[in-house]
Amino acid sequence: MLRDHTAGDPMRADVKWTNLSRRQIARRLADLGTPASRRVVTGLLHRHGFRRRRAVKKKTMGRHPDRDAQFENIARLKRAYLEAGLPVVSIDTKKKELLGNFHRSGTTYTEQTVETFDHDFGSAGQGKLIPHGIYDLANGHAHIHLNTSHDTSELCCDSVASWWEQYGRAAYPTAKRLLILCDGGGSNSATQYLFKEDLQRLANRLGLELRVAHYPPYCSKYNPIEHRLFPHLTRACRGVIFETAETAGRFMAKAETATGLKVVVGFLHKVYATGRKCAENFKKTMKIVFDAVLPKWNYTAVPQTQ
């Protein structure tokens, strides 16, 4: 029966699936004179190697020729900084969330059914929530800064500044250098000079040498914050309606793991403008130091004295 209703992966002979449901298989068996319940059908499917599975995002859409070289470089930098007792942080912006009475996946314990809007029209809410995260690799601590304007390079740098001023300076009192790991797009784009200009301002503001290492294209999932922080935030907020930014922050702060993850939530109330451009002469006068190896992904902002 499954012979004409089986599909497979052309790259892996052991991966197959069927487009028939258990109910449909049971009905066809009954038509053939062999009635069987769905439980029996489930056992037969398992015997033939069929199980209910969900698709997994694992296939990389592209492979950059310098991918492995950059991974080796990031591993070397992390090892050197951590062994020297210097801070290493992984940064990224988590998925934006609508603020208001909008449905969110997951379940919670409630006394009554929670009713939300039947459509996710942003105009019916109070805007979007932008959670920018910073994960400290050495201590396993994380800071989330919430904003409701725009995800820009200025927001990214203000988030790092807030982490350093509230936590990093005390945790690393003698540090003069900071390693920042991030992907190559969004507010910390590897190709945008505006991010480099804001990064230089940040280095001047904090008096820190800020070294940036971008993950190659299609490799953002390897950024530590993606699997060490964001999944736990999602779990802590599952089924919670984000009526306000304060509600979201309260539940995000509850995220924790058995290995000691602690999350501190803060708010950036500034309105960040879009459409900004870097200064006309920045490319000529910038003090960003690019590495000799893969300079497009590796560079350092050195603090400048006025």
Side-chain angles (χ1 to χ4, degrees):
M1 185 186 302
L2 295 180
R3 188 177 296 116
D4 296 329
H5 295 274
T6 298
D9 189 328
M11 304 300 292
R12 293 181 293 172
D14 58 326
V15 178
K16 300 176 184 177
W17 60 91
T18 179
N19 62 347
L20 294 177
S21 68
R22 292 179 301 164
R23 186 186 297 276
Q24 290 172 323
I25 294 174
R27 187 181 299 124
R28 288 171 184 244
L29 284 172
D31 292 341
L32 292 174
T34 309
S37 67
R38 283 183 291 172
R39 179 175 296 181
V40 172
V41 170
T42 299
L44 292 171
L45 286 171
H46 288 179
R47 186 183 301 175
H48 290 278
F50 291 86
R51 295 181 183 276
R52 293 182 67 84
R53 297 180 175 90
R54 68 176 60 188
V56 180
K57 293 183 178 180
K58 290 188 67 175
K59 292 189 175 181
T60 303
M61 294 179 63
R63 186 179 180 88
H64 197 281
D66 295 323
R67 177 183 185 274
D68 291 347
Q70 180 62 357
F71 270 104
E72 292 173 2
N73 183 57
I74 289 175
R76 178 182 59 80
L77 287 172
K78 281 198 301 184
R79 184 167 55 251
Y81 271 68
L82 292 174
E83 288 178 353
L86 296 172
V88 180
V89 296
S90 169
I91 67 172
D92 199 7
T93 302
K94 197 179 184 299
K95 175 188 173 184
K96 301 177 182 65
E97 301 279 0
L98 287 173
L99 289 176
N101 191 28
F102 298 107
H103 175 269
R104 298 187 70 256
S105 60
T107 59
T108 57
Y109 285 100
T110 62
E111 295 180 342
Q112 297 178 344
T113 300
V114 178
E115 295 184 352
T116 63
F117 295 143
D118 57 354
H119 286 79
D120 291 341
F121 294 146
S123 58
Q126 290 78 50
K128 287 187 177 181
L129 181 71
I130 305 169
H132 187 273
I134 301 175
Y135 178 77
D136 182 349
L137 269 67
N139 297 320
H141 288 184
H143 283 236
I144 292 289
H145 297 111
L146 305 179
N147 182 263
T148 56
S149 60
H150 303 284
D151 185 18
T152 67
S153 60
E154 189 179 9
L155 181 151
C156 173
C157 291
D158 281 353
S159 180
V160 173
S162 180
W163 169 82
W164 178 255
E165 291 166 353
Q166 295 180 18
Y167 174 80
R169 182 179 285 121
Y172 304 95
T174 62
K176 297 298 182 182
R177 294 181 292 156
L178 168 65
L179 175 61
I180 300 174
L181 307 178
C182 54
D183 57 27
S187 58
N188 43 248
S189 173
T191 61
Q192 297 296 322
Y193 278 93
L194 182 59
F195 172 62
K196 295 177 176 64
E197 184 178 29
D198 288 337
L199 188 73
Q200 183 62 65
R201 292 197 187 99
L202 179 62
N204 297 344
R205 171 181 170 182
L206 302 181
L208 282 176
E209 181 182 289
L210 304 178
R211 180 152 195 169
V212 177
H214 292 277
Y215 282 87
Y218 306 110
C219 295
S220 61
K221 62 186 176 183
Y222 292 98
N223 192 3
I225 196 172
E226 293 281 349
H227 52 272
R228 295 188 185 180
L229 173 62
F230 288 169
H232 307 299
L233 292 180
T234 300
R235 186 182 67 250
C237 299
R238 188 171 294 145
V240 177
I241 309 305
F242 287 170
E243 293 278 5
T244 64
E246 288 71 22
T247 299
R250 188 166 64 251
F251 280 89
M252 288 183 180
K254 294 180 179 180
E256 61 181 4
T257 65
T259 56
L261 173 68
K262 300 295 182 184
V263 178
V264 176
V265 177
F267 295 88
L268 298 176
H269 297 290
K270 182 177 179 179
V271 176
Y272 294 95
T274 59
R276 294 172 56 231
K277 298 183 182 297
C278 66
E280 294 183 1
N281 62 342
F282 176 71
K283 294 181 183 179
K284 297 181 180 179
T285 61
M286 68 177 180
K287 303 300 182 181
I288 301 291
V289 179
F290 292 89
D291 287 14
V293 178
L294 299 175
K296 58 187 174 183
W297 295 331
N298 302 282
Y299 48 87
T300 304
V302 180
Q304 303 295 309
T305 56
Q306 299 294 330

